[in-house]
């Protein structure tokens, strides 16, 4: 940890100039659009931490954080729903799209007659809702990655679905594993070679899905591309550093500060939700 400014307490590699030169930025015009959000919660068998921070670029130009996340615990079914969204920056009202989907996802997705989550129906419904919302508020779009985590035979199962380049990872004893989303290829400096992405709303919605299981030595992470782009496949400097920071659940304020680490060329909003199997008294 090498402090560079009041806004970047953590650094990975070359922090670049912007981390030191861009301060907190002016408040955005909207009456409620916080720069930083952080949460901590425990549900039976799981410890959850979440954070979302406004990126350097948005702070510089006084534009709002366009990421959003949500956590929803279904007590009767012992299901934990986690959703992370990244509003598309080229569209002015994309923060509204991200917020809408995170608030609606747990309610929109339902299991079919065979007990499988019908992600496609949920994403199609939310896409239509966003199209109606955009007609009133203005242009908007968002990527989505969502997971439903349930206990299965002393382990946990995560049913994951996504549209776009927000990503899902497992972090275990051997490091990071991409299990959902579209992690971009990078140039020699680590910057993504492709900046376009699929998003909602869309005329044709194609939700991708995966199901993974993990045990007590592994954690699940959902994140926007503000973190997934520098993390990549997880084998580099960023991957090693985040793995050491997040091997166990940090407090939510530390998570937010670490998620906002300074690194040259990476100035987007950052959002991450981590889900760790609980230990000791927390597991009860």
């Amino acid at each position: 940890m090498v402090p560079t400014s009041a806004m970047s307490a953590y650094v990975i590699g070359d922090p670049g100039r912007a981390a030191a030169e861009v301060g907190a930025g002016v408040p955005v015009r909207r009456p409620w659009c916080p720069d930083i959000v952080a949460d901590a919660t425990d549900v039976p068998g799981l410890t959850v931490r979440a954070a979302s921070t406004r990126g350097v670029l948005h702070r510089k130009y006084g534009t709002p954080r366009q990421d959003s996340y949500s956590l929803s615990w279904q007590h009767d079914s012992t299901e934990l729903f986690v959703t992370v969204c990244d509003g598309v920056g080229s569209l002015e009202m994309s923060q509204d799209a991200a917020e809408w989907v995170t608030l609606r996802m747990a309610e929109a997705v339902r299991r079919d007659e065979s007990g499988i989550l019908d992600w496609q129906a949920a994403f199609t419904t939310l896409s239509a809702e966003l199209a109606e919302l955009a007609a009133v508020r203005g242009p908007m779009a968002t990527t989505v990655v969502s997971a439903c985590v349930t206990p299965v035979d002393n382990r946990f199962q995560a049913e994951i679905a996504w549209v776009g380049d927000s990503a899902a990872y497992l972090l275990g004893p051997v490091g990071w594993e991409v299990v959902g989303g579209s992690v971009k290829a990078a140039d020699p400096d680590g910057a993504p070679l492709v900046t376009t992405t699929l998003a909602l709303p869309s005329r044709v919605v194609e939700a991708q899905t995966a199901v993974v299981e993990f045990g007590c030595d592994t954690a699940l992470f959902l994140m926007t591309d503000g973190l997934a782009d520098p993390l990549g496949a997880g084998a580099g400097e960023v991957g090693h550093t985040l793995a050491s920071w997040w091997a166990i659940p940090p407090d939510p304020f530390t998570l937010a500060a670490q998620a906002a680490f300074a690194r040259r060329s990476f100035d987007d909003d950052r959002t991450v939700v981590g889900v760790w199997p609980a230990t000791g008294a927390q597991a009860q």
Side-chain angles (χ1 to χ4, degrees), residues 20-277:
E21 296 177 358
V22 176
V26 299
V28 298
R29 295 179 180 179
R30 301 186 64 179
W32 175 247
C33 194
D35 281 9
I36 302 169
V37 181
D39 282 290
T41 188
D42 296 319
V43 300
L46 295 169
T47 297
V48 186
R49 301 288 184 265
S52 183
T53 67
R54 185 163 68 141
V56 173
L57 195 63
H58 282 164
R59 297 202 311 268
K60 179 178 179 180
Y61 293 108
T63 49
R65 176 177 55 86
Q66 293 187 304
D67 285 3
S68 185
Y69 69 82
S70 65
L71 311 170
S72 176
W73 170 246
Q74 310 295 321
H75 185 272
D76 292 342
S77 58
T78 64
E79 295 175 325
L80 173 69
F81 279 94
V82 177
T83 301
V84 168
C85 291
D86 180 2
V88 175
S90 60
L91 301 177
E92 183 180 3
M93 301 306 295
S94 289
Q95 64 274 3
D96 287 10
E99 182 178 17
W100 183 271
V101 173
T102 54
L103 291 176
R104 286 274 295 122
M105 179 60 77
E107 182 180 54
V109 66
R110 291 287 183 268
R111 295 193 180 276
D112 61 22
E113 294 180 355
S114 63
I116 304 300
L117 285 172
D118 193 346
W119 292 109
Q120 181 64 36
F123 278 58
T124 300
T125 295
L126 293 173
S127 180
E129 292 176 359
L130 288 181
E132 294 180 1
L133 195 65
V136 176
R137 300 186 185 180
M140 64 176 69
T142 186
T143 69
V144 187
V145 60
S146 189
C148 175
V149 183
T150 53
V152 178
D153 297 330
N154 296 318
R155 293 171 60 82
F156 294 93
Q157 176 179 273
E159 300 166 86
I160 307 166
W162 66 92
V163 167
D165 56 13
S166 292
Y169 291 79
L170 292 177
L171 174 59
V174 297
W176 295 95
E177 178 187 358
V178 180
V179 292
S182 303
V183 176
K184 306 183 187 81
D187 66 18
D189 292 327
L193 293 171
V194 178
T195 57
T196 58
T197 182
L198 298 175
L200 301 180
S202 175
R203 292 179 181 175
V204 179
V205 178
E206 297 182 358
Q208 295 181 272
T209 62
V211 178
V212 298
E213 288 191 9
F214 58 99
C216 61
D217 60 352
T218 300
L220 172 72
F221 291 84
L222 271 59
M223 61 185 72
T224 59
D225 69 343
L227 277 167
D229 283 356
L231 175 57
E237 181 180 33
V238 173
H240 293 310
T241 303
L242 293 182
S244 67
W245 288 349
W246 298 344
I248 60 175
D251 69 80
F253 309 107
T254 299
L255 178 67
Q258 291 171 338
F261 65 84
R263 186 172 177 86
R264 183 168 62 89
S265 300
F266 296 98
D267 53 15
D268 200 0
D269 297 339
R270 307 270 181 82
T271 298
V272 59
V273 179
V275 180
W276 290 261

